[in-house]
Amino acid sequence: MSNHIALENVSQSFSAEETKVELFNNLNLTINQGQSYAITGPSGTGKSSLLMLMSGLENPSSGSCTYVENGQKKSLTLLRENIGFIFQQFHLLPELTALNNVALPLKLRGDKQALTKAKTWLDKVGLSHRLAHKPLQLSGGEQQRVAIARALVFEPKFIFADEPTGNLDQHNATEIADLLFACCQENNAGLILVTHSHALANRAEHIFSLADGHGIATAIEQLEAVS
């Protein structure tokens, strides 16, 4: 079996106004490196929380989330440097230019080619003319592109994206989706998307639909374009 992230009997809940809210119960899910997944479902069913659990950024109320490499179970924290996360709210550093926001993950790793690689990725997302602009000088869609370039610049093993095309028009959304899926294939990365877009979800190899507190995993074939 390929390297993968394993969620076993995972439940997640939180307290709100002295009431316990359960998002999901006893979910079992395997995320294989090199495959693509979409998480869909109505608002409030825990899609973003599930994404945070898969990436190791949050811990479940119960159950386990592990990274299995060459048959050996390991803590998800060991995978953290190989995870790219595209947040819905971007989380760009306002004092840094687009170029330096993208280069930052590489600089933290001591990569001397950080700026060169960052320029390459900003060009890939169509922002070669915005290198010196800070986040507040960019539109929401442009900020999303910077966030995507930052997540992909170090070629992670797994890419997690929370509504990655939610702030883009249809043309730009298609271009960014093409880029995400191409990166997944070229680098043998796992791609996990939270999305309300049926078109984007249907491009994934697997769909995980959350509803009524329970997850239903469904494998689908890649859809052919209908002319």
Side-chain angles (χ1 to χ4, degrees), residues 26-75:
N26 298 321
L27 290 186
N28 291 278
L29 183 62
T30 298
I31 302 295
N32 289 304
Q33 188 176 334
Q35 295 187 20
S36 56
Y37 301 80
I39 303 172
T40 66
S43 297
T45 51
K47 299 185 299 298
S48 294
S49 291
L50 181 57
L51 200 69
M52 297 292 276
L53 293 182
M54 290 176 178
S55 62
L57 295 180
E58 287 185 2
N59 295 317
S61 301
S62 63
S64 67
C65 303
T66 55
Y67 175 51
V68 182
E69 184 177 36
N70 300 323
Q72 299 291 317
K73 281 189 177 183
K74 301 181 179 182
S75 168

Side-chain angles (χ1 to χ4, degrees), residues 9-30:
N9 298 317
V10 166
S11 299
Q12 188 71 315
S13 61
F14 64 92
S15 296
E17 298 179 355
E18 299 183 358
T19 301
K20 184 179 180 181
V21 178
E22 294 187 345
L23 292 176
F24 39 80
N25 292 294
N26 298 321
L27 290 186
N28 291 278
L29 183 62
T30 298

Side-chain angles (χ1 to χ4, degrees), residues 185-196:
Q185 292 179 341
E186 290 171 11
N187 300 314
N188 190 37
L191 175 63
I192 305 93
L193 308 160
V194 163
T195 183
H196 282 99

Side-chain angles (χ1 to χ4, degrees), residues 158-176:
F158 291 90
I159 303 160
F160 294 89
D162 195 351
E163 295 287 357
T165 61
N167 296 292
L168 304 175
D169 60 41
Q170 186 58 52
H171 174 74
N172 286 323
T174 299
E175 284 191 347
I176 289 300

